Each structure stands twice: as C-alpha cells, then as structure tokens.
Amino acid sequence: MRLLKIRELVQQKAWTIKQVSDRSGVIYSTVRSYARCSEMTTVDFTAIYKLAHTFDVTIEDLVEILEE
C-alpha cells in the first residue's frame, strides 16, 4: 500500500487542489482523489512524477510505501 502526502504538501504550499492540478497538468479529479484518500493500492506513476515535480520533492517524499 502507498501513502500519498498530497494533502500535507498542498497545505504546506498554501495551494488549492485546482492550483496543483493547473501547475502539474494532472487532471483535477485525480489530484482530488489522491488528496482525499491518501492510502492507495495503485497509482498513476506519470501523475505521481508530475506531482512530485510540481511540489519540488522526490517521489520518495511524496509516496510512502507501507508494508502490509
């Protein structure tokens, strides 16, 4: 399982989900979904890459892998 830190990073940057979507090029519904449900079993790697770049963090800082 992967724990996404989207909501935490949105708050740190004081951005809205719409601003993250616009800045990253990731569709709004995907960003909103990732922010609402931080625990994901599958993710779109391209979207994660774009979001990490937008937040200026590594993928490892954006996604925490949890052992089951």
Side-chain angles (χ1 to χ4, degrees):
M1 185 176 306
R2 292 155 186 89
L3 178 64
L4 302 178
K5 300 176 183 176
I6 304 293
R7 184 173 296 242
E8 177 183 321
L9 292 168
V10 166
Q11 290 173 348
Q12 284 178 6
K13 296 282 189 181
W15 293 343
T16 65
I17 300 297
K18 175 81 168 90
Q19 288 172 314
V20 173
S21 174
D22 291 344
R23 290 170 186 255
S24 67
V26 176
I27 60 172
Y28 176 81
S29 61
T30 299
V31 178
R32 184 183 67 205
S33 174
Y34 287 173
R36 284 186 176 171
C37 182
S38 63
E39 294 180 5
M40 307 292 278
T41 54
T42 61
V43 292
D44 176 345
F45 183 77
T46 303
I48 295 302
Y49 176 82
K50 288 178 179 180
L51 289 168
H53 181 73
T54 299
F55 287 118
D56 195 28
V57 297
T58 65
I59 290 173
E60 291 81 8
D61 290 336
L62 182 65
V63 181
E64 181 179 343
I65 306 297
L66 301 176
E67 304 262 341
E68 292 186 32

